[in-house]
Amino acid sequence: MENIKKVESPRKEENAIYNKIIPAGEGWMHELKPGQVLRIVDLEGNQAVDTLFYDADNPDDHYSVTATITGQKNIYLTTGSVLRSESGNELLKIVADTCGRHDTLGGACSAQSNTVRYAHDKLHMHNCRDTFMLQLSKYGERFTKRDLAPNINFFMNVPVTEDGHLEFADGISYAGSYVELLSLRRTLVLISNCPQLNNPCNAYNPTKIQVLIWDK
């Protein structure tokens, strides 16, 4: 189902309390307080940003693609989408979006998926699953591989074909496209700025992104 709702934000970059550039292929993990707003900016366009969310007070309760899709009755995310956890709790809401549509089904690249989708000699390539695990490892034994769930791919274009297959297509974001999320509870954000070189999700040229946070 098509669902595009482009809405610009009233927030100004100079008023942000946090501002960071995440290079291509690198990860980031940060806690949002209730009421804070996170903006993810695709600085050069056509870059996929793999993202997971966790309830900071109950980290076992992570983002759920099933609960989110069921709640909104749409497989794509856009302005107004509420991101839900496994328990059904509302974690965040998209309050602004200049791209208009984001993927919930494509998942994160891994060493294993790179060999299955492309070739065995891709096994060594940098991938989002390893980036996720590297970030989670900074929390000691709090997180394990079992805490990795199907993720959101912000800015990534994964249309569903008429026969029900997924197609990794050219991105639809342009330089400066952004999505803003209002945190509805204390939420941990986990990002892998995708290093994928084997399909068009990053235009075969992974690029940096920017993250900003406002108190409201």
Side-chain angles (χ1 to χ4, degrees):
M1 182 186 297
E2 192 71 17
N3 184 33
I4 294 179
K5 298 179 183 177
K6 293 187 178 182
V7 175
E8 293 192 4
S9 170
R11 295 170 186 84
K12 304 298 183 184
E13 181 173 338
E14 59 266 25
N15 295 328
I17 64 167
Y18 183 95
N19 189 337
K20 183 177 178 63
I21 300 296
I22 303 175
E26 294 196 8
W28 179 78
M29 196 164 185
H30 193 88
E31 181 181 311
L32 296 177
K33 297 177 182 177
Q36 288 188 326
V37 174
L38 168 69
R39 178 187 292 177
I40 304 171
V41 187
D42 185 358
L43 289 172
E44 298 185 33
N46 210 11
Q47 171 67 18
V49 183
D50 293 42
T51 310
L52 274 169
F53 299 100
Y54 301 81
D55 183 335
D57 294 315
N58 181 18
D60 290 337
D61 197 20
H62 53 66
Y63 163 78
S64 167
V65 61
T66 304
T68 299
I69 289 175
T70 301
Q72 69 171 6
K73 298 180 175 59
N74 198 297
I75 63 172
Y76 301 116
L77 303 177
T78 190
T79 308
S81 294
V82 175
L83 311 185
R84 299 177 185 273
S85 69
E86 286 287 324
S87 68
N89 285 332
E90 297 181 351
L91 296 176
L92 308 101
K93 181 178 181 178
I94 298 179
V95 293
D97 180 13
T98 62
C99 175
R101 197 183 77 180
H102 308 272
D103 169 60
T104 60
L105 302 178
C109 59
S110 66
Q112 293 76 18
S113 68
N114 281 340
T115 63
V116 171
R117 289 176 179 168
Y118 310 111
H120 184 71
D121 62 8
K122 306 296 185 182
L123 180 67
H124 71 283
M125 296 184 73
H126 192 175
N127 63 79
C128 285
R129 184 178 175 85
D130 287 348
T131 300
F132 280 154
M133 287 308 305
L134 178 61
Q135 292 298 314
L136 290 176
S137 70
K138 297 177 181 180
Y139 284 76
E141 297 181 358
R142 185 178 183 184
F143 294 99
T144 69
K145 289 182 179 180
R146 297 185 65 180
D147 294 300
L148 289 185
N151 58 283
I152 297 168
N153 294 306
F154 286 113
F155 310 113
M156 190 168 165
N157 184 23
V158 186
V160 179
T161 64
E162 290 185 2
D163 58 0
H165 290 88
L166 300 182
E167 178 182 335
F168 293 87
D170 287 330
I172 57 175
S173 63
Y174 56 84
S177 290
Y178 61 81
V179 58
E180 280 188 1
L181 302 107
L182 169 67
S183 183
L184 302 175
R185 60 201 309 118
R186 226 165 51 91
T187 304
L188 284 171
V189 184
L190 173 61
I191 284 177
S192 170
N193 188 23
C194 187
Q196 184 59 259
L197 291 167
N198 301 292
N199 69 52
C201 71
N202 293 337
Y204 304 102
N205 178 38
T207 54
K208 62 189 177 183
I209 61 168
Q210 180 184 27
V211 289
L212 303 102
I213 297 173
W214 290 263
D215 271 336
K216 60 180 179 179

